[in-house]
């Protein structure tokens, strides 16, 4: 019996994402596990302080569309079917926790820059995911 049957890799859309994806794909193959690919788009109002007097819904829609397109590209490249690609809007840590519970995930894979000092005090998504997860979390060191 395999340790993991459903793995979710949560990526940002930076150039480092393939490093995290490759590790998650290898793990899913080793465990013969289903692989889910997730990205959380932060709400535009949250990212820009929330007090800008304009309608940001069009920008939010563009970010969402761009994320879906990028996930589809990664899905095609890494063999992850469309039904296993998830784009959601919210705070990354809480959305990843919610998705992992909702989808019955037993391992979440995230990237980590391994920051220290003031950057660490400001928090990181990997740290936030680790401290609230109800399943195992693998933080892949990004070079």
């Amino acid at each position: 019996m395999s340790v993991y049957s459903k793995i979710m890799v949560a990526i940002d859309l930076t150039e480092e994402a393939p490093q995290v994806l490759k590790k998650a794909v290898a793990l899913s193959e080793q465990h013969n596990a289903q692989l889910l690919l997730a990205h959380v788009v932060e709400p535009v109002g949250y990212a820009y302080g929330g007090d800008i007097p304009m309608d940001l819904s069009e920008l939010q829609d563009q970010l969402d569309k761009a994320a879906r397109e990028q996930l589809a590209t990664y899905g095609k490249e890494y063999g992850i079917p469309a039904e296993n690609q998830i784009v959601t809007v919210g705070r990354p840590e809480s959305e990843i926790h919610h998705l992992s519970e909702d989808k019955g995930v037993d391992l979440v894979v995230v990237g980590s820059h391994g920051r220290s000092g003031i950057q660490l005090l400001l928090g990181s998504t990997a740290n936030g995911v680790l401290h609230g997860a109800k399943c195992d979390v693998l933080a892949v060191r990004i070079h």
Side-chain angles (χ1 to χ4, degrees):
M1 185 178 100
S2 176
V3 176
Y4 301 115
S5 61
K6 193 179 280 190
I7 298 171
M8 180 172 70
V9 56
I11 60 168
D12 57 16
L13 299 180
T14 63
E15 64 274 0
E16 292 105 351
Q19 290 179 49
V20 180
L21 263 166
K22 287 174 187 168
K23 183 78 72 160
V25 168
L27 281 166
S28 71
E29 289 170 353
Q30 285 175 335
H31 292 275
N32 198 25
Q34 181 180 14
L35 184 61
L36 305 176
L37 175 59
H39 174 70
V40 180
V41 178
E42 290 193 56
V44 175
Y46 173 78
Y48 293 99
D51 56 357
I52 300 171
M54 64 170 94
D55 181 11
L56 298 172
S57 60
E58 188 175 325
L59 177 58
Q60 190 74 57
D61 290 345
Q62 288 173 349
L63 291 171
D64 187 71
K65 182 176 185 262
R68 290 179 191 283
E69 288 171 357
Q70 185 61 57
L71 255 59
T73 299
Y74 284 140
K76 194 173 291 185
E77 183 176 347
Y78 294 95
I80 303 167
E83 62 270 14
N84 287 3
Q85 300 169 25
I86 305 161
V87 174
T88 187
V89 176
R91 287 193 45 100
E93 301 88 349
S94 58
E95 289 300 317
I96 292 167
H97 293 153
H98 173 74
L99 283 171
S100 65
E101 290 177 46
D102 187 49
K103 302 290 185 184
V105 169
D106 34 39
L107 175 66
V108 174
V109 180
V110 294
S112 174
H113 289 93
R115 295 186 173 109
S116 59
I118 190 69
Q119 292 171 318
L120 185 61
L121 289 174
L122 295 174
S124 71
T125 299
N127 192 44
V129 171
L130 176 66
H131 289 290
K134 292 190 168 75
C135 65
D136 290 350
V137 176
L138 172 65
V140 175
R141 174 80 60 190
I142 295 172
H143 313 337

